[in-house]
Amino acid sequence: MNFKKVMTAFGLVASFGLAACSSDSSSGAAPEDLSSSSSAPIVLPETNGDSLVKFTSMNASPSGATSIIFTGSVSTNLDADTSAVIDSINFKLGNETGGQITSSFTFTQLTAPTANLNLIKLSPALDLTSFKDCGNLSAYLIVYGHSLTQSFVAIDTIPFAKGCVVEESSSSVAVEDPVLTAWEVELSTSATKSNAVDLDSKTVYFKQQISAETAPLLDLYLARENKAPVLYTNGNLTEFAVANASTIVPETKSASDYLSYPKPAHVSDFAFKDTPTNSVTDFETTAFIVKTPSYDETTGKGFYVILPHEAEEAGSSVSMTLTILGVW
């Protein structure tokens, strides 16, 4: 098994504090029969042909308050065997004592063998309310495939955490107000400059890099409609049918612009009416809020204040600098 994962996903969902009785969407077992104390040891298939499979950027991220989505890519190692393909995948969950977790884990099955697989296309999602286990947990991604000479099985581990319920009096619970830091990025409709940005990772993309693979990552991109700038989220990329798209709404509290925002800035300094949209054209509004699929109101992750600078026109293209406040 491949246990090289750095525990970067730990703590992503530790603040949820969720605990519900375990259940399985297909088993129909009573919740009291599925306590973690009686869970059987997790059984994983024997692996072979590990060298034929590459796991890249495996990650677990919160999706709302009660679920986790898993992302990353899996591909066959063509340097080792050009005939290798992936036939199917499966997921299993285990707790920190090595017990099997029975839970509601959904994903779309493969319909044909493939050499490259982006998990976004399969939409693997875990309902955190479907089991009572908490603490440091593990999702095991099991890949089945074949080449001209053998069938193979490879496994990778995606660690994540689920908060355990701690009884506290309301007077002892401290509510944090996340601090936002500033970052500037320039977007342009020119083919030679960055056009889109993944806010969570501070990664920019050129227009020609927008594809079915990258569309789920592109929280904002700049376009020019009737010679005027428009900021779109990936929810506007309808040709790629992005699930869990980012949203953008006007900021309603601070009246900040890129020169006058609070320093230091906190999440509580800003507010919005949560009516999701995928574009803004009225830049008389001085600030906008973008929420990405990783949005967590407790930590401030996935909450971004967008402060546009004045657009700059250059012939048939337009550019715009954005001051972005966020938790990174």
Short mmCIF file of all heavy atoms in Angstrom, two decimals, residues 222-230 281 283 311 313 318:
data_model
loop_
_atom_site.label_atom_id
_atom_site.label_comp_id
_atom_site.label_asym_id
_atom_site.label_seq_id
_atom_site.Cartn_x
_atom_site.Cartn_y
_atom_site.Cartn_z
N LEU A 222 -11.77 36.18 -16.15
CA LEU A 222 -12.13 37.47 -16.70
C LEU A 222 -12.53 37.32 -18.17
O LEU A 222 -11.84 36.63 -18.93
CB LEU A 222 -10.96 38.46 -16.57
CG LEU A 222 -11.22 39.88 -17.06
CD1 LEU A 222 -12.26 40.58 -16.17
CD2 LEU A 222 -9.92 40.70 -17.08
N ALA A 223 -13.63 37.97 -18.56
CA ALA A 223 -14.06 37.98 -19.95
C ALA A 223 -14.38 39.42 -20.35
O ALA A 223 -14.43 40.33 -19.50
CB ALA A 223 -15.28 37.09 -20.15
N ARG A 224 -14.58 39.61 -21.64
CA ARG A 224 -14.95 40.92 -22.15
C ARG A 224 -16.22 40.76 -22.97
O ARG A 224 -16.23 40.06 -23.98
CB ARG A 224 -13.83 41.52 -23.01
CG ARG A 224 -14.02 43.01 -23.28
CD ARG A 224 -12.90 43.53 -24.16
NE ARG A 224 -12.87 44.98 -24.17
CZ ARG A 224 -12.19 45.72 -25.04
NH1 ARG A 224 -11.46 45.10 -25.97
NH2 ARG A 224 -12.22 47.03 -24.98
N GLU A 225 -17.30 41.38 -22.52
CA GLU A 225 -18.58 41.30 -23.20
C GLU A 225 -19.00 42.70 -23.61
O GLU A 225 -19.10 43.60 -22.76
CB GLU A 225 -19.64 40.68 -22.28
CG GLU A 225 -19.25 39.36 -21.63
CD GLU A 225 -19.18 38.22 -22.63
OE1 GLU A 225 -19.63 38.41 -23.78
OE2 GLU A 225 -18.66 37.15 -22.27
N ASN A 226 -19.23 42.91 -24.92
CA ASN A 226 -19.57 44.24 -25.44
C ASN A 226 -18.57 45.29 -24.98
O ASN A 226 -18.92 46.38 -24.54
CB ASN A 226 -20.99 44.63 -24.99
CG ASN A 226 -22.04 43.69 -25.54
OD1 ASN A 226 -21.95 43.25 -26.68
ND2 ASN A 226 -23.02 43.35 -24.72
N LYS A 227 -17.27 44.92 -25.05
CA LYS A 227 -16.13 45.79 -24.72
C LYS A 227 -16.03 46.13 -23.23
O LYS A 227 -15.20 46.93 -22.84
CB LYS A 227 -16.18 47.09 -25.54
CG LYS A 227 -16.08 46.86 -27.04
CD LYS A 227 -16.02 48.19 -27.79
CE LYS A 227 -15.88 47.96 -29.28
NZ LYS A 227 -15.79 49.22 -30.04
N ALA A 228 -16.86 45.49 -22.39
CA ALA A 228 -16.82 45.75 -20.94
C ALA A 228 -16.34 44.52 -20.21
O ALA A 228 -16.63 43.39 -20.61
CB ALA A 228 -18.20 46.16 -20.44
N PRO A 229 -15.59 44.70 -19.10
CA PRO A 229 -15.10 43.54 -18.35
C PRO A 229 -16.22 42.85 -17.58
O PRO A 229 -17.15 43.49 -17.08
CB PRO A 229 -14.08 44.16 -17.39
CG PRO A 229 -14.55 45.57 -17.19
CD PRO A 229 -15.15 45.97 -18.50
N VAL A 230 -16.12 41.52 -17.49
CA VAL A 230 -17.04 40.71 -16.70
C VAL A 230 -16.21 39.70 -15.92
O VAL A 230 -15.34 39.04 -16.49
CB VAL A 230 -18.06 39.95 -17.58
CG1 VAL A 230 -19.04 39.18 -16.70
CG2 VAL A 230 -18.79 40.89 -18.51
N THR A 281 -20.97 42.30 -13.32
CA THR A 281 -20.66 43.26 -14.38
C THR A 281 -20.66 44.69 -13.88
O THR A 281 -20.11 45.57 -14.52
CB THR A 281 -21.70 43.14 -15.52
OG1 THR A 281 -23.01 43.37 -14.98
CG2 THR A 281 -21.65 41.76 -16.17
N PHE A 283 -19.21 47.15 -11.74
CA PHE A 283 -18.04 47.42 -10.91
C PHE A 283 -18.14 48.74 -10.16
O PHE A 283 -17.16 49.22 -9.60
CB PHE A 283 -16.77 47.32 -11.75
CG PHE A 283 -16.51 45.92 -12.23
CD1 PHE A 283 -16.82 45.55 -13.53
CD2 PHE A 283 -16.02 44.95 -11.37
CE1 PHE A 283 -16.63 44.25 -13.97
CE2 PHE A 283 -15.82 43.65 -11.79
CZ PHE A 283 -16.13 43.30 -13.10
N ALA A 311 -10.48 48.65 -14.46
CA ALA A 311 -10.08 47.86 -15.62
C ALA A 311 -9.22 48.69 -16.58
O ALA A 311 -9.40 49.91 -16.70
CB ALA A 311 -11.32 47.34 -16.35
N GLU A 313 -7.96 48.87 -20.56
CA GLU A 313 -8.20 48.38 -21.90
C GLU A 313 -6.94 48.50 -22.74
O GLU A 313 -6.16 49.44 -22.59
CB GLU A 313 -9.35 49.14 -22.56
CG GLU A 313 -10.69 48.92 -21.88
CD GLU A 313 -11.84 49.49 -22.69
OE1 GLU A 313 -11.69 49.63 -23.91
OE2 GLU A 313 -12.87 49.81 -22.08
N VAL A 318 -8.80 43.34 -22.32
CA VAL A 318 -8.98 44.13 -21.11
C VAL A 318 -8.32 43.38 -19.96
O VAL A 318 -8.33 42.15 -19.91
CB VAL A 318 -10.48 44.38 -20.83
CG1 VAL A 318 -11.21 43.07 -20.59
CG2 VAL A 318 -10.67 45.32 -19.65
#
